[in-house]
Amino acid sequence: MHAFATENPAIVEGLIWTAIAAAALKRFLAHMTQLIVQVPMSTRKVAMCATHVLGDVVEALKTGNVTRLLKALEAAIMYLACHAQRAHPKRDQRTGRSQLGLDPLFESDNVTEFAEAA
């Protein structure tokens, strides 16, 4: 946002909402991948990998093709499952975020229904 030298409040607000939407989408992909493949995911790594997977998802959304969207999401989830796992989940249990009982959530009825539809 620093590259945009503007005093127009509408542009600034639009950029802020775009950043929020992008962050929410990346977080959704991280948690969806974690639930489907049952592997602890790094939201930071997912955010870094998102540029590799979001293009096909956005193109499918633009065309409105549900079959293409499901294939794009499946490809995205498989890519993220391979490239965005947490580096040290056992260490996290001893000294990181998991020591406070913040274990990954691997079960959800809504996600199971989504995965079965794909």
Side-chain angles (χ1 to χ4, degrees):
M1 290 187 349
H2 297 288
F4 292 95
T6 182
E7 293 182 13
N8 185 338
I11 292 175
V12 173
E13 184 177 354
L15 291 171
I16 291 169
W17 281 111
T18 301
I20 291 170
L25 179 59
K26 291 172 187 177
R27 180 66 56 111
F28 168 79
L29 286 173
H31 290 291
M32 181 63 67
T33 302
Q34 181 169 285
L35 288 169
I36 290 174
V37 298
Q38 297 191 356
V39 173
M41 301 302 296
S42 166
T43 53
R44 179 181 172 275
K45 288 182 180 180
V46 169
M48 292 175 11
C49 291
T51 57
H52 300 291
V53 298
L54 285 181
D56 292 336
V57 172
V58 170
E59 287 299 319
L61 286 170
K62 284 179 11 183
T63 62
N65 186 332
V66 176
T67 304
R68 184 175 175 190
L69 177 60
L70 288 174
K71 287 182 181 180
L73 285 172
E74 182 178 2
I77 288 168
M78 291 303 112
Y79 181 87
L80 294 174
C82 293
H83 295 93
Q85 294 181 17
R86 291 193 67 77
H88 303 285
K90 290 184 180 178
R91 182 188 67 194
D92 291 343
Q93 290 175 348
R94 291 190 317 272
T95 61
R97 72 180 195 144
S98 296
Q99 73 179 348
L100 299 175
L102 300 175
D103 293 325
L105 175 65
F106 290 135
E107 295 181 19
S108 173
D109 292 336
N110 295 336
V111 173
T112 304
E113 292 171 11
F114 175 79
E116 290 171 358

